[in-house]
Amino acid sequence: MSALGAMLSREQTTSGRAVGLRSQIALGAVCAGYAVGAALGWGSPRVALFMGDFGLSVAALIAAVSCFRYARAGGSRFRPAWLLFSLSSAMAAGGNAIWGWYEVVLRSSVPSPSLADLFFLCFAPPAIVGLLVLAKRPVTRAGWVCLVLDAWLIGGSLLTLSWSLALAHAAHVANAAGESVARAALSLAYPLLDIVLVSMVLALHFRRVNVNRSAVNTAIAGLAMTVLCDALFTAPLLRSAYQSGQLLDAGWFAGSLLLAYATWGARTRRGQDNAVEAPCPEPRAASRPIAGSLAALTPYLAAAVCTLGILYNVVEGRRVDRVVVLTGCTVVLALVIRQAIVLIDNVALTQELAQKENHFRSLVQGSSDVIMIAEPSGVLRYVSPAAAGVYRRDAEDLVGAELSSIIHPDDLGGVVHELRRFLAATALDEPTTRIECRFGSGTGDWLHVESTVNRHEGGLLLNSRDVTERVRLQAQLQHNAEHDPLTDLPNRALFTARVGQALGGRRAGDPGTAVLFIDLDGFKAVNDSIGHQAGDELLIQAARRLQESVRASDTAARLGGDEFAALIVGDGARDQAARECQVHEIADRLRLRLSQPYRIGTGEVRVAASIGVAFAEASITPKDLMRNADLAMYRAKAGGKDRVELYAPQMQADVVRRSELAARLRTALREGEFALLHQPVVHLASGTVAAVAAQARWRSAQGLLFTPAEFLRVSEGSDRAAELGTWLLEKAVEQAADRSRAGHPVSVSVRVSAARLLDHALPPGSVEALLTRHGLPSGALMIEVADSDPRISFDELERRLVALRRLGVRIALDGFGSGYAAVNALRRLPVDVLKLDRCLVEGVVESARLHKITSGLLRIAGDLGMQSVADGVDVPEQVRALRAMGCTHGQGMAFAGPLDEYRLRRTLTRGKYPVPGVGPAAQPVLAGGAIPLQSRSHDETPVPPT
């Protein structure tokens, strides 16, 4: 409840109490005023009669109306009780009104018996039934029997006492005076009904319900006041001298007003409860045992009263009346029966209690959980026998020990804090709590224990169980979820979390924090050549080397496959350049360490490492930092592998541009925006067009054809590259066949990468089928093998090229002089034509060293019986120098660039190009050529306008 709500609650409660106090003062003042008036005789006999008759009638009528309205508004199961109280008060009002009619209006004495007596006699029965409705109903037959017996014990005792004191004398007087039977019965009916009413009031006093307790108590007090006045009125001496308006009427008047006030006070209290829902104070515990004791002693007190009545007659020397003897015997009999019922109930309760005690003892002693009871001071006063199996300690050894002595010191502070918080809360708000800590076992180990804590007699009740295995399993599952199962290094999820901690902890914003992404170059070849088991062993050894190469504060992780990562935490240095140099040195040492030979089985395996480094920046996220390191790593692989590359913002722009180009590539292939051009391959001795090299070009939205190198790099290695290569091969064969049928039978060369040749999607049979479908002789097609990756298996490549040679397809080795395995390829592969790389041709005139290298390569080709093609022949001086070295063919801007189909046919019709320093004599024509799809010439050979 808020402070304002609490203040309003206190104000409303105080206001309600003030109203109740004022009403009680007013009620007391009215009753006291009536009593004073009655004591003074009201000033005149006439007024005394009026107030004694009609005043009591009005008070009873007020009580009847008040109870009736309360019953109509209540709507609970006790509504009939208040209706009966209303009827009882109405009977009293009617009797007093009739009495006043005779005395005040008719000015005559009231006849006996009269109609007023009938109303007065009907007062007690509704009140008795109403009290029964208000009482708690017994739940068993024995309870109902005890209730009846208690009522009779009280009623019989009162009857015995009353008969001994007054009723026997009244009956004797009435008999001696010769009164009628009706008059004698009437004289005895009033006290007997009052005795019954008093008996019910006493018997039900300790059985009343807790609902509207104040209203019920006030109503019982009003009825008791009325019964007391009736008892006094029954006394013969007082009745003989009674007149209306005397002091006895004040008791009846107060009883009626109390009954009326009971309902009014209950309505006021209920309104307060509805207005403010404030927690009711708990009743005092001390009153409950007293109330229970009085309820249990009531029947015996009644029997004692009955015994006193009999003793009174004996002591006075009177003959004991038969009514007294009979009533006393029935009271004693009822007491015996009730005691027997109580004994039987006690035996049953004792047996049930023993059974429950045995049941709970079996549960506690047989439970696998340890149940402990601790005093408020923390001393254990009970420990269940399960402690021997759980804690490996006898329960007797733990009893009397401090709870804190068996809790791990590191967990004690948290446990104490939680228990203090729990005990400070109320039982209604928090009935239980749960703590988890480590308990010391008898073997010296610490067990993980989970305990449910309850309050118990001011102390604590702990229900504890051993959860050590569960904690270990959770820790193992957590470890498995965050670590790589092969190398046991942190996985990507944990590494990302560690990067987040490094960027957001006390070193947040430290630019010295760096992330390294590491990829093992050549790992796929290891898997393919010696198996995946060897590859796994290599990864384990690489992970061990990586773990040993970083500091304890750093993190090494495996991200998946052959990709690793390392987090180098910053040292707070302000010199960023020095820090970058330091991290670069660390990365380079790590590259050398990972590139050392790996001992796998009986042999050694070598792989290289490409490493990308990215440094933290202000407000950078872990995802962005790891992405930057990944981009730097791919730049290292693209730049030649086995190197370290630092991240630069331009890399992200390159990725975006490459993504855009990749999307444009997909659209271009789908929309048919690629065109096929051909560059003539010229015989350097005669100028004759010996072959044409097919080259793919992309037609821009403006209709221009161009070959951006970046576009070609995006296409290589992807599914679109394979699709583009297939389109190029089919289109080149188709157009070559069309030219042959048109009278221009010139061979065409198509550049195909070694990886593409080894792809099962391009078997030798598909090339043969393509040539057959378009009717092109096999000798008219030359496959130009691009420089291969060192991981490519030469054995398989050799078998594939031999199969193509059997079909008549000629083989050219492209880019000779710059490739990784050019000499090995020349030694092993079935090559017909050797194509010199542009890097050899560009400086052949200016550089004497390069002149000698190129001359030597051409001499090797001649000795092996191969023809040669120089790529990138752009100036006449290069033509002369190459022809003088023995080069047979050239391709470049010295003759022509890539041509469309129309210009190519015009060139083939002309048949030859002028060659610098060569006469008009014709020379043999080369039977093939090589046109690369992607080579350095694509970066430098301009496309002539169309």
Side-chain angles (χ1 to χ4, degrees):
M1 185 182 295
S2 64
L4 179 60
M7 182 178 66
L8 292 177
S9 173
R10 289 194 296 269
E11 290 179 355
Q12 292 180 0
T13 303
T14 304
S15 177
R17 290 177 178 175
V19 172
L21 182 60
R22 286 196 296 269
S23 62
Q24 293 172 6
I25 293 174
L27 176 64
V30 172
C31 293
Y34 190 95
V36 171
L40 298 178
W42 295 103
S44 68
R46 190 77 176 170
V47 176
L49 289 176
F50 182 85
M51 294 301 296
D53 295 332
F54 290 109
L56 293 181
S57 179
V58 171
L61 184 61
I62 292 174
V65 173
S66 180
C67 291
F68 181 77
R69 293 186 60 185
Y70 180 71
R72 291 289 300 273
S76 66
R77 70 181 183 91
F78 304 109
R79 177 180 178 182
W82 295 101
L83 287 176
L84 290 171
F85 291 155
S86 175
L87 177 60
S88 178
S89 299
M91 294 295 102
N96 284 303
I98 294 174
W99 196 289
W101 175 263
Y102 281 103
E103 289 187 338
V104 177
V105 178
L106 299 181
R107 297 184 179 182
S108 64
S109 61
V110 181
S112 181
S114 66
L115 186 60
D117 294 324
L118 178 62
F119 276 93
F120 286 140
L121 289 175
C122 292
F123 167 80
I128 294 172
V129 178
L131 290 173
L132 288 174
V133 174
L134 284 179
K136 291 182 181 179
R137 299 177 182 178
V139 296
T140 62
R141 293 181 180 179
W144 283 105
V145 173
C146 288
L147 177 60
V148 173
L149 291 176
D150 290 345
W152 171 243
L153 286 171
I154 297 173
S157 301
L158 293 177
L159 177 60
T160 302
L161 185 60
S162 301
W163 191 272
S164 301
L165 295 177
L167 295 182
H169 178 68
H172 178 72
V173 171
N175 187 25
E179 294 181 354
S180 63
V181 176
R183 187 176 181 85
L186 182 62
S187 62
L188 295 178
Y190 283 111
L192 292 178
L193 288 175
D194 288 339
I195 288 173
V196 174
L197 184 57
V198 171
S199 302
M200 296 308 301
V201 169
L202 293 176
L204 300 177
H205 173 69
F206 301 105
R207 293 177 176 267
R208 61 185 182 276
V209 294
N210 293 326
V211 181
N212 294 335
R213 194 175 185 89
S214 60
V216 174
N217 289 338
T218 305
I220 291 177
L223 293 176
M225 179 67 72
T226 303
V227 170
L228 178 60
C229 293
D230 287 345
L232 295 175
F233 178 74
T234 306
L237 295 178
L238 186 60
R239 183 175 183 180
S240 61
Y242 171 78
Q243 290 183 359
S244 297
Q246 292 181 351
L247 190 59
L248 187 60
D249 292 344
W252 284 315
F253 183 83
S256 297
L257 290 187
L258 281 175
L259 188 59
Y261 174 77
T263 60
W264 188 85
R267 284 194 295 269
T268 304
R269 179 62 180 271
R270 184 168 57 190
Q272 295 174 6
D273 293 341
N274 294 335
V276 181
E277 295 181 0
C280 297
E282 295 183 358
R284 290 176 297 177
S287 63
R288 296 177 180 174
I290 296 175
S293 300
L294 291 177
L297 292 176
T298 298
Y300 304 99
L301 293 176
V305 170
C306 179
T307 304
L308 290 177
I310 298 175
L311 291 177
Y312 174 77
N313 287 328
V314 174
V315 171
E316 290 294 329
R318 300 177 182 177
R319 185 176 61 88
V320 180
D321 194 276
R322 287 178 294 178
V323 175
V324 173
V325 174
L326 181 61
T327 305
C329 292
T330 56
V331 168
V332 173
L333 179 60
L335 182 61
V336 172
I337 295 174
R338 190 185 188 285
Q339 188 64 28
I341 294 175
V342 170
L343 290 176
I344 294 174
D345 286 344
N346 288 340
V347 171
L349 289 175
T350 302
Q351 294 176 350
E352 183 179 358
L353 180 62
Q355 183 179 3
K356 289 183 177 180
E357 184 178 356
N358 293 332
H359 174 69
F360 285 110
R361 182 182 293 108
S362 300
L363 288 177
V364 170
Q365 294 182 353
S367 174
S368 59
D369 295 348
V370 180
I371 299 175
M372 300 183 294
I373 299 177
E375 295 179 351
S377 60
V379 177
L380 296 174
R381 72 173 187 224
Y382 174 78
V383 179
S384 66
V390 176
Y391 301 151
R392 303 295 189 270
R393 301 174 67 175
D394 293 336
E396 292 78 7
D397 296 340
L398 291 174
V399 174
E402 291 281 349
L403 180 62
S404 59
S405 64
I406 62 174
I407 298 178
H408 195 281
D410 295 342
D411 301 338
L412 184 58
V415 172
V416 172
H417 174 75
E418 175 62 20
L419 292 180
R420 286 179 177 174
R421 185 200 62 79
F422 171 67
L423 293 175
T426 62
L428 183 62
D429 295 336
E430 191 172 5
T432 63
T433 188
R434 189 177 65 87
I435 59 174
E436 187 168 338
C437 60
R438 285 167 289 179
F439 277 9
S441 68
T443 59
D445 299 329
W446 292 100
L447 304 176
H448 290 270
V449 176
E450 181 184 68
S451 302
T452 302
V453 184
N454 295 271
R455 297 173 179 84
H456 178 74
E457 296 181 1
L460 297 172
L461 174 65
L462 295 90
N463 189 353
S464 306
R465 63 197 61 85
D466 182 11
V467 293
T468 304
E469 290 301 322
R470 189 194 71 186
V471 172
R472 289 177 181 172
L473 179 60
Q474 289 177 345
Q476 184 64 40
L477 292 176
Q478 184 72 18
H479 181 85
N480 294 342
E482 296 178 343
H483 289 76
D484 175 59
L486 178 64
T487 63
D488 203 38
L489 290 179
N491 58 13
R492 183 181 295 271
L494 182 56
F495 183 76
T496 304
R498 296 276 179 87
V499 173
Q501 294 173 3
L503 296 180
R506 59 184 179 88
R507 295 180 177 176
D510 186 357
T513 299
V515 170
L516 281 62
F517 265 45
I518 306 161
D519 186 84
L520 300 182
D521 304 322
F523 176 74
K524 184 177 183 300
V526 174
N527 272 343
D528 295 340
S529 59
I530 59 178
H532 288 275
Q533 186 174 359
D536 291 344
E537 179 61 28
L538 189 149
L539 290 176
I540 293 173
Q541 295 184 27
R544 187 180 304 115
R545 294 181 184 182
L546 177 61
Q547 185 70 44
E548 294 172 353
S549 301
V550 298
R551 300 171 300 180
S553 58
D554 300 331
T555 301
R558 182 192 178 201
L559 305 183
D562 60 342
E563 290 189 0
F564 294 86
L567 171 64
I568 308 298
V569 180
D571 55 3
R574 296 184 178 181
D575 190 350
Q576 182 63 17
R579 178 60 177 171
E580 290 183 0
C581 182
Q582 179 184 7
V583 173
H584 192 281
E585 292 178 356
I586 294 174
D588 199 57
R589 287 198 303 267
L590 182 59
R591 178 187 64 82
L592 295 176
R593 180 86 170 96
L594 293 175
S595 300
Q596 292 178 1
Y598 293 86
R599 188 72 180 179
I600 308 295
T602 58
E604 290 186 349
V605 176
R606 288 181 177 270
V607 294
S610 298
I611 302 178
V613 183
F615 287 90
E617 301 173 357
S619 303
I620 194 172
T621 63
K623 180 180 178 181
D624 292 340
L625 181 58
M626 294 173 63
R627 179 205 62 196
N628 294 345
D630 196 21
L631 292 176
M633 184 266 291
Y634 277 105
R635 177 59 63 91
K637 292 179 71 67
K641 304 176 181 180
D642 193 18
R643 58 198 303 267
V644 177
E645 189 77 29
L646 296 180
Y647 170 78
Q650 182 62 31
M651 295 180 183
Q652 177 63 21
D654 293 344
V655 170
V656 174
R657 185 163 56 253
R658 289 169 63 88
S659 299
E660 294 175 352
L661 288 174
R664 292 168 62 189
L665 171 62
R666 290 190 292 269
T667 303
L669 288 172
R670 185 171 60 253
E671 301 295 335
E673 297 179 0
F674 278 92
L676 186 63
L677 301 183
H678 295 83
Q679 187 173 26
V681 177
V682 180
H683 193 276
L684 296 182
S686 63
T688 305
V689 177
V692 292
Q695 299 180 8
R697 294 294 185 267
W698 176 44
R699 189 183 302 275
S700 68
Q702 293 77 20
L704 299 179
L705 300 176
F706 58 92
T707 59
E710 184 177 8
F711 171 79
L712 296 175
R713 284 197 299 271
V714 169
S715 66
E716 188 168 358
S718 64
D719 294 338
R720 299 302 174 184
E723 184 178 348
L724 182 60
T726 301
W727 174 86
L728 175 62
L729 181 61
E730 292 182 354
K731 197 70 175 178
V733 172
E734 179 184 356
Q735 292 187 7
D738 291 341
R739 288 192 297 270
S740 179
R741 286 190 291 270
H744 304 291
V746 60
S747 62
V748 61
S749 68
V750 180
R751 184 179 187 273
V752 181
S753 65
R756 174 69 175 153
L757 285 173
L758 296 180
D759 190 357
H760 296 290
L762 186 65
S766 63
V767 177
E768 182 181 9
L770 180 63
L771 296 174
T772 303
R773 183 168 66 250
H774 293 285
L776 184 68
S778 59
L781 175 64
M782 176 177 285
I783 297 296
E784 183 181 333
V785 182
D787 189 14
S788 62
D789 190 286
R791 294 172 294 183
I792 296 297
S793 173
F794 266 95
D795 295 336
E796 188 174 354
L797 181 60
E798 181 181 6
R799 288 193 295 268
R800 181 58 57 88
L801 294 179
V802 169
L804 290 174
R805 283 285 301 277
R806 291 196 187 103
L807 298 176
V809 178
R810 304 189 68 187
I811 306 299
L813 184 60
D814 180 40
F816 189 83
S818 64
Y820 173 81
V823 176
N824 192 29
L826 188 63
R827 178 178 65 87
R828 298 185 57 183
L829 300 181
V831 179
D832 300 306
V833 177
L834 183 66
K835 187 172 184 180
L836 297 179
D837 190 74
R838 172 179 285 273
C839 64
L840 297 177
V841 178
E842 286 178 343
V844 70
V845 178
E846 296 82 2
S847 173
R849 185 183 184 87
L850 194 59
H851 186 280
K852 293 180 180 180
I853 293 174
T854 305
S855 177
L857 293 177
L858 290 173
R859 188 164 51 252
I860 292 174
D863 294 341
L864 295 176
M866 299 179 185
Q867 293 181 334
S868 56
V869 177
D871 187 18
V873 182
D874 296 333
V875 296
E877 291 77 7
Q878 294 173 348
V879 176
R880 296 189 187 96
L882 290 171
R883 189 179 64 248
M885 294 178 190
C887 183
T888 59
H889 297 79
Q891 172 185 343
M893 295 303 296
F895 306 106
L899 305 176
D900 58 15
E901 188 65 21
Y902 173 75
R903 293 188 179 188
L904 177 61
R905 293 199 180 192
R906 288 179 55 187
T907 298
L908 294 177
T909 301
R910 188 171 61 248
K912 59 187 301 184
Y913 286 95
V915 180
V918 179
Q923 296 294 332
V925 177
L926 177 69
I931 308 298
L933 176 60
Q934 178 185 353
S935 70
R936 296 178 185 174
S937 63
H938 294 168
D939 297 337
E940 301 170 358
T941 302
V943 180
T946 56

